[in-house]
Amino acid sequence: MAPTKKTPTRPRDIIETLFKVECKNPKDHDGQRVIPFLLNPAQRMIDDAAETHKMHLILKARQLGFSTYVEARYLAKCMTVEGTHAAVVSHEKQATTRLLRRVKFFLENLDNQEEIVPLEYDNKYELTFPRTKS
């Protein structure tokens, strides 16, 4: 019997193994619009700090991918850590909707999404994960 593929449990491994992002410049990626989410150097630095510290203060730098990283990290936590609660909040309703849409993009582009992370509620305001009660 062939071994089954185990879902990674560390947030960074989940992000880089399972998640995909829309690329800003498809020409740089052989015309592909959806590519694997590999952390950039700034995201790796924040991720390394996230593993050793409980609280984070990120002064918002533009275009470094911090919002995308934070969304991916907490989605990974909701998928794997029981009782995790995360909120997407922004300075305006439209921006908050865009951020939550990106979280849903991660989920919609998982291979075998239903097996990996079944959802109980999935609407424009919330996602719930019954397996982890998150």
Side-chain angles (χ1 to χ4, degrees):
M1 180 183 275
T4 59
K5 200 173 186 181
K6 187 175 182 224
T7 303
T9 56
R10 234 182 72 196
R12 184 178 191 161
D13 296 335
I14 292 169
I15 292 167
E16 293 195 323
T17 303
L18 301 177
F19 292 175
K20 295 178 177 73
V21 291
E22 291 183 275
C23 89
K24 291 183 178 187
N25 192 355
K27 290 178 186 174
D28 294 341
H29 299 278
D30 297 324
Q32 294 180 347
R33 297 202 56 73
V34 177
I35 59 173
F37 187 165
L38 301 176
L39 298 177
N40 67 36
Q43 292 165 331
R44 280 196 299 274
M45 182 182 70
I46 294 297
D47 186 71
D48 290 342
E51 292 298 319
T52 58
H53 299 84
K54 294 288 181 193
M55 190 182 336
H56 312 287
L57 178 61
I58 300 172
L59 300 177
K60 182 65 173 146
R62 305 296 302 162
Q63 304 301 312
L64 292 178
F66 288 146
S67 296
T68 303
Y69 164 74
V70 169
E71 292 163 358
R73 181 173 177 80
Y74 283 96
L75 173 58
K77 291 264 192 186
C78 287
M79 291 167 51
T80 59
V81 178
E82 190 164 324
T84 298
H85 297 278
V88 175
V89 181
S90 182
H91 64 293
E92 62 183 21
K93 187 175 181 176
Q94 263 186 315
T96 301
T97 301
R98 271 194 313 274
L99 293 171
L100 184 57
R101 204 173 314 133
R102 189 178 303 139
V103 172
K104 291 182 179 200
F105 180 88
F106 293 145
L107 287 169
E108 290 165 358
N109 286 280
L110 290 174
D111 296 327
N112 302 319
Q113 183 268 339
E114 296 80 18
E115 294 173 27
I116 294 172
V117 58
L119 296 173
E120 186 173 10
Y121 295 105
D122 178 1
N123 59 52
K124 70 181 198 175
Y125 298 111
E126 71 178 326
L127 300 168
T128 59
F129 306 87
R131 190 176 291 162
T132 59
K133 299 175 183 71
S134 295

